[in-house]
């Protein structure tokens, strides 16, 4: 009996000690969990805390400007608002912006704003100079072309030029003398003068490439220099008046035309160079009125032939009755027109 009582007392003590130890362990675990939670909790307000528990705390963010608050606050997957990395780095200065020259480059413009392509059309007067003036007289010219501008200063133009000239009265008189000349032997056979009313003209057409250098100016007035070279084709025609018949519903009639009776050609390389002025119609327009003068040199190769001085000794088989067409040619075209 006493043994049972002592065993029961020991069991009660063991159970009481077990409950005491279990309760102590539970309390320590709860305190440790609370301390860890408080350590990991973000130092920012939850949405519910910032609106209901402490409205003043939310006013800290809402008092800033709308743009800055939008960038400063972000929400995570749990609905909590946090400061963004941009807001945390707001103390750092923004990166410096680099500035440079504006770039206008596209399919029609160069980076400096100048048009990539240019065209011209014009006309004016062509005046022979030097030895050419001995045989020819001033007349008209026209030109057209286009090319590429590499920038506001440098460009290249491909041009077609047509320069027309008349013939000096002395040239016509000498040519009539040559055509009507008869040797004594021919006169004995009945040779007589048959050419009367002779006239003539001369022209040069060319295809050239011309680098153009625009000079720095201000306002509407501009200036440029041009040099170039290419292929030149020179032609001299001699004409005589001829009567021709034309018939219509009212009958036939007669009219007089100058028909070519002789012509000469010469092909040669040539160069040109000159100076021009331009005027812009408005500040923003690309169209410009221009006036320019050039010096043209055509490197013809002289070919011997019959002249008024040697016609008496020229062979009867001679065919070149105007060797002056193969003389070196120099002239100045003065042209007015439009560049655009």
């Amino acid at each position: 009996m006493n043994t049972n009582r002592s065993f029961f007392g020991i069991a009660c003590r063991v159970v009481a000690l077990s409950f005491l130890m279990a309760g102590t362990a539970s309390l320590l675990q709860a305190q440790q969990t609370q301390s860890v939670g408080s350590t990991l909790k973000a130092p920012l307000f939850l949405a519910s805390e910032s609106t209901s528990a402490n409205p003043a705390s939310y006013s800290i963010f809402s008092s800033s400007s709308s743009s800055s608050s939008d960038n400063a606050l972000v929400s995570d997957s749990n609905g909590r608002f946090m400061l963004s990395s941009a807001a945390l780095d707001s103390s750092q200065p923004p990166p410096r912006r680099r500035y440079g020259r504006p770039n206008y480059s596209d399919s029609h413009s160069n980076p400096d704003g100048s048009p990539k392509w240019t065209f011209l059309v014009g006309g004016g007067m062509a005046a022979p100079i030097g030895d050419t003036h001995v045989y020819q007289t001033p007349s008209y010219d026209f030109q057209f072309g286009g090319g590429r501008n590499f920038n506001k200063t440098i460009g290249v133009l491909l041009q077609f030029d047509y320069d027309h000239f008349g013939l000096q009265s002395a040239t016509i008189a000498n040519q009539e003398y040559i055509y009507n000349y008869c040797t004594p032997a021919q006169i004995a056979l009945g040779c007589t003068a048959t050419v009367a009313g002779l006239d003539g003209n001369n022209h040069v057409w060319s295809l050239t490439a011309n680098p153009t250098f625009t000079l720095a100016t201000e306002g509407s007035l501009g200036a440029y220099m041009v040099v170039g070279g290419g292929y030149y084709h020179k032609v001299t025609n001699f004409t005589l008046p001829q009567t021709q018949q034309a018939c219509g519903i009212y009958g036939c009639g007669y009219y007089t035309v100058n028909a070519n009776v002789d012509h000469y050609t010469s092909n040669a390389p040539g160069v040109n160079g000159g100076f021009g002025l331009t005027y812009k119609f408005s500040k923003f327009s690309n169209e410009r009125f221009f006036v320019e003068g050039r010096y043209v040199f055509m490197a013809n190769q002289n070919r011997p032939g019959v002249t008024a001085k040697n016609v008496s000794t020229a062979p009867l088989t001679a065919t070149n009755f105007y060797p002056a067409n193969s003389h070196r040619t120099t002239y100045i075209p003065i042209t007015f027109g439009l560049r655009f």
Side-chain angles (χ1 to χ4, degrees):
M1 188 68 178
N2 292 331
T3 302
N4 292 335
R5 288 180 179 178
S6 60
F7 179 77
F8 179 77
I10 293 171
C12 290
R13 290 187 183 91
V14 170
V15 171
L17 182 59
S18 299
F19 276 106
L20 180 60
M21 293 177 65
T24 303
S26 299
L27 181 61
L28 292 175
Q29 183 178 4
Q31 291 177 353
Q32 184 177 4
T33 303
Q34 183 177 2
S35 63
V36 171
S38 63
T39 302
L40 299 178
K41 185 176 180 181
L44 298 174
F45 298 104
L46 298 177
S48 59
E49 295 174 347
S50 61
T51 55
S52 59
N54 192 1
S57 63
Y58 181 72
S59 64
I60 295 175
F61 301 99
S62 62
S63 62
S64 60
S65 64
S66 60
S67 61
S68 62
S69 63
D70 292 342
N71 295 329
L73 290 178
V74 294
S75 61
D76 62 3
S77 58
N78 296 325
R80 293 178 297 180
F81 289 94
M82 298 183 296
L83 289 175
S84 65
S85 60
L88 295 175
D89 295 338
S90 61
S91 61
Q92 299 296 327
R96 177 177 295 179
R97 184 176 179 180
R98 296 183 178 180
Y99 295 90
R101 293 182 178 180
N103 191 323
Y104 304 96
S105 182
D106 56 26
S107 60
H108 301 289
S109 302
N110 292 311
D112 60 4
S114 60
K116 285 184 176 181
W117 307 103
T118 184
F119 303 93
L120 65 89
V121 59
M125 180 186 73
I129 59 175
D131 180 67
T132 306
H133 178 66
V134 175
Y135 300 92
Q136 299 169 197
T137 60
S139 190
Y140 64 89
D141 81 293
F142 68 85
Q143 65 179 207
F144 61 86
R148 177 74 160 83
N149 290 325
F150 300 104
N151 49 50
K152 289 183 177 180
T153 304
I154 302 175
V156 175
L157 288 171
L158 298 179
Q159 287 185 213
F160 173 85
D161 290 77
Y162 180 91
D163 300 284
H164 190 272
F165 305 95
L167 297 179
Q168 297 281 4
S169 59
T171 303
I172 299 297
N174 288 339
Q175 207 66 22
E176 278 192 357
Y177 177 77
I178 294 171
Y179 290 146
N180 290 321
Y181 182 82
C182 295
T183 65
Q186 290 172 333
I187 294 175
L189 296 175
C191 176
T192 60
T194 59
V195 175
L198 186 72
D199 201 355
N201 58 75
N202 173 278
H203 69 263
V204 177
W205 63 259
S206 61
L207 293 172
T208 57
N210 303 284
T212 303
F213 306 91
T214 302
L215 306 179
T217 57
E218 295 182 359
S220 299
L221 189 64
Y224 64 91
M225 297 178 63
V226 59
V227 296
Y231 173 80
Y232 288 78
H233 178 73
K234 181 180 179 181
V235 178
T236 301
N237 296 308
F238 292 100
T239 64
L240 283 174
Q242 291 185 356
T243 302
Q244 296 183 357
Q245 183 182 32
C247 298
I249 58 174
Y250 298 105
C252 295
Y254 297 90
Y255 62 96
T256 301
V257 296
N258 287 327
N260 286 346
V261 294
D262 201 6
H263 81 281
Y264 301 89
T265 63
S266 178
N267 303 314
V271 295
N272 70 83
F275 179 79
L277 297 174
T278 62
Y279 179 80
K280 294 182 68 172
F281 298 103
S282 68
K283 181 178 180 180
F284 302 101
S285 68
N286 289 326
E287 295 78 16
R288 292 163 292 163
F289 174 80
F290 77 90
V291 54
E292 72 171 29
R294 298 193 192 187
Y295 172 83
V296 178
F297 173 80
M298 183 178 175
N300 309 84
Q301 296 298 317
N302 290 335
R303 296 194 299 264
V306 179
T307 66
K309 293 181 179 181
N310 66 8
V311 64
S312 61
T313 60
L316 297 178
T317 58
T319 57
N320 183 13
F321 297 104
Y322 187 64
N325 190 73
S326 61
H327 291 183
R328 291 188 174 182
T329 307
T330 53
Y331 59 94
I332 296 177
I334 300 174
T335 310
F336 305 83
L338 290 175
R339 290 176 177 262
F340 49 92

